[in-house]
Amino acid sequence: QVQLVESGGGWVQPGGSLRLSCAASGRSFGQYIMGWFRQAPGEEHEFVAAVGRSGGYVSYGDPVQGRFTISRDNSKNTVILQMNSLKPEDTAVYYCAASLRRSYDTDIYVWSKYDHWGQGTQVTVSS
C-alpha cells in the first residue's frame, strides 16, 4: 500500500519550466516502477514518462521526448518530473503512478496497469 501526492504544478508561459514532485508514503518506494501521466479535458490519460526501480531505466512519451526528464530519489521516496521548454499542448492535470511489475513491457505505458495513482496537479502553459 502506497499513497502518492503530487506537487509543483501551476501556470507558466510557453518556453518556461516547471518541476513536479511526487512524494510516496511507505518504506518500499524502491520496489515500484514510477510513472507520470497527464490528462487534458475530454482526453484519456496519456503516458508521459516512467523510471525503473533503481533509476537506470527511463522511458518517455513522444510528445515530451527531449524536453522532460524523470528521476527518482529512493532515499526520499520521491520521483521528479523536470519539465522544460513547455508548450501550450502540455497543459493538463499531471498524475504520478506506481507499479509493482518487474518487467519493462508495454504495460508501463498504460494508466490502468499501475497499482497506485495520485490525485494530480494542474499544469497550465499559456501566454
Side-chain angles (χ1 to χ4, degrees):
Q1 296 181 344
V2 62
Q3 294 182 350
L4 307 173
V5 180
E6 302 94 337
S7 63
W11 174 86
V12 66
Q13 292 184 317
S17 298
L18 284 174
R19 180 180 181 270
L20 304 184
S21 297
C22 177
S25 65
R27 303 174 182 176
S28 302
F29 179 72
Q31 299 180 23
Y32 290 90
I33 297 170
M34 298 298 300
W36 284 95
F37 292 80
R38 66 188 185 185
Q39 185 178 39
E43 303 291 333
E44 296 294 317
H45 293 93
E46 179 186 38
F47 174 77
V48 175
V51 60
R53 292 177 295 275
S54 64
Y57 177 90
V58 294
S59 182
Y60 298 96
D62 288 341
V64 308
Q65 198 95 31
R67 299 187 296 119
F68 292 8
T69 302
I70 188 171
S71 61
R72 67 191 297 160
D73 186 341
N74 289 348
S75 68
K76 298 180 179 179
N77 283 16
T78 301
V79 60
I80 302 296
L81 185 69
Q82 179 65 46
M83 309 164 66
N84 299 324
S85 301
L86 284 162
K87 304 175 180 180
E89 51 262 45
D90 295 318
T91 296
V93 177
Y94 283 71
Y95 302 87
C96 63
S99 173
L100 284 171
R101 294 182 181 273
R102 301 296 179 89
S103 62
Y104 304 107
D105 57 25
T106 55
D107 284 350
I108 68 171
Y109 309 115
V110 180
W111 168 265
S112 62
K113 296 298 184 180
Y114 282 68
D115 299 293
H116 304 280
W117 305 266
Q119 295 302 305
T121 184
Q122 176 70 47
V123 171
T124 302
V125 185
S126 69
S127 299

